[in-house]
Amino acid sequence: MIADGRTVLIVDGYVLKLDAWLKYHPGGDKSIMHMVGRDATDEVNALHSVDARTRMAKFRIGRVDGRWDNFLPPIQGGSFKPYTDQEDLPTDVSDSIDGECSSQDESPPRSPLFDPVDQPTDVLPRSRNVVPIDLETSSISSVSSADSEQAHNKPKLALKDALTQKEIDFDLDRYPPVDAVIQEEIVRRYRMLYSRIIAEGLFECNYKAYLIELCRYSALFGISLVCLHCGWYGTSGLFLGFFWHQLVFTAHDAGHMGITHDFATDTIIGIIIADFLGGLSLGWWKRSHNVHHIVTNSPEHDPDIEHMPFFAISHRFFDSLRSTYYNRIMSYDAFAKFTIRYQNYLYYPILTLGRFNLYRLSWEYLFLGLGPRKGPAWWHRWFEIAGQVFFWTWFGYGVLYRSIPTAGDRVLFLMVSHMFTGILHLQITLSHFAMSTADLGIQESFPQRMLRTTMDVDCPEWLDFFHGGLQFQAVHHLFPRIPRHNLRQTQKLVQQFCLEVEIPYALYGFVDGNKEVIGKLRDVGRQAAILAECQKQVAATGF
């Protein structure tokens, strides 16, 4: 079915065929496409409400008998041939499966046959064959061991392949083996933890905490207006930026349905905050952020780390990777070669300008109609466009143009208000930029992958309001729908879980976390410089 282009995945032991739903999914099509051919139970349960999971039953076409061995999804480079095309092939060929991480030496065992929901069948399983990927034309990281060996024999890729293998070996030494039995035990304990969190009421929202948040937001906006009236434009911009900085945290909660847990209600809350008050698209954020939660820190697939030509947190960006999210090549051109070498110095200055890029991405999403136009989310685009009109009316015209008399003061107000929100971009990138970008293969469990690619930031409890839950990103990635005011309590349970399954729990202080990120950027920058020198040497000497 996958060979025929069908969108098929496994959830709770049932086979779902989601072709009809793909273009209507409020969270975008990309997040679903990354789960094709895989057991997506933990990802789906983490990101969807009970009501949404219940409605998935109508897409069931079969059930799985036994353990399911994941395939590499087509969007990540997996290629499938129908059984009818391979009937005459020898058994050892037709049953072979490439597409594993380069750290694996052999193909996984065949996944069990799934049976129709309503009636059992004795039909033989279809043979699958994943076509090897040419490293010269593809940016896919998950390749067979044979392809990896060939790649190591190519002189121009030798240095980068050695760095890739070093990262994989480091993670394999530090984390539990990507073995079916061990990963199944991790998943079993993770699901037990999930049930315990539900039993302890940690998914229930503390509305009193949001009342306090509302008072804080009102105070910040009020102070900004008072300063604006007094002509203190820089100070006014500072408090407006602080207002936007704090608002994002509640929009983030609403986007994950972490407030009321009702899709329509939380969406309205999120759009009012993000679009009407902040000028950013909640729909764009959902589409991007859901993919980030599925393929965290994957250079080809995770839009949250795809910031070329300004930042590269992995040497693999030197290959001008193709982004499966943006559907474009992230060119490692002359400009990128210059900026990446100095990215550890440019990191903080560039973050202060990040909000302007979010405007661009929001407009691109809304005006190009990248979101669903039918289904339960059909109205989101129009509500968001109305929010954009409202925002630029009150902020662009009412505040920036009508309330500030001179061009110089307008620039001051604009830059101070927007540069302050750079703190938010720092908090977001802090949790991932220093963490692993290695691919350990499609059999790695969801909880291990999230904990391997995400870190938490240690801070005193009284400062939780300033970080807005982003200091608990590892916990959040395991349980995205938990209201942020419950994350500190959940963290203790997650730390206990990590001890039980022997997965390292990354926890740094804010200063130490920044040092880790800057160190990572510096290391990649040095690798870029070394690669450039090697290329010059080859060009000058011919070898």
Side-chain angles (χ1 to χ4, degrees), residues 19 32 137 368 382:
D19 299 80
I32 296 177
T137 59
L368 294 182
W382 304 109

Side-chain angles (χ1 to χ4, degrees), residues 123-164:
V123 181
L124 292 174
R126 292 187 179 185
S127 300
R128 284 88 55 182
N129 183 40
V130 180
V131 177
I133 302 163
D134 184 0
L135 290 179
E136 292 291 338
T137 59
S138 173
S139 64
I140 303 302
S141 60
S142 298
V143 294
S144 67
S145 57
D147 293 331
S148 178
E149 183 178 353
Q150 293 175 3
H152 280 281
N153 293 329
K154 298 179 182 179
K156 69 175 182 177
L157 292 179
L159 173 62
K160 287 175 283 187
D161 278 353
L163 292 172
T164 299

Side-chain angles (χ1 to χ4, degrees), residues 46 56 69 92 124 208 323 341 419 482:
M56 292 179 190
D69 290 303
D92 60 338
L124 292 174
K208 291 182 180 179
S323 167
R341 293 179 66 172
M419 291 175 70
I482 290 183

Side-chain angles (χ1 to χ4, degrees), residues 190-203:
Y190 166 73
R191 293 175 182 176
M192 289 175 57
L193 175 60
Y194 186 93
S195 299
R196 180 180 176 183
I197 288 172
I198 293 176
E200 294 192 13
L202 294 177
F203 278 98

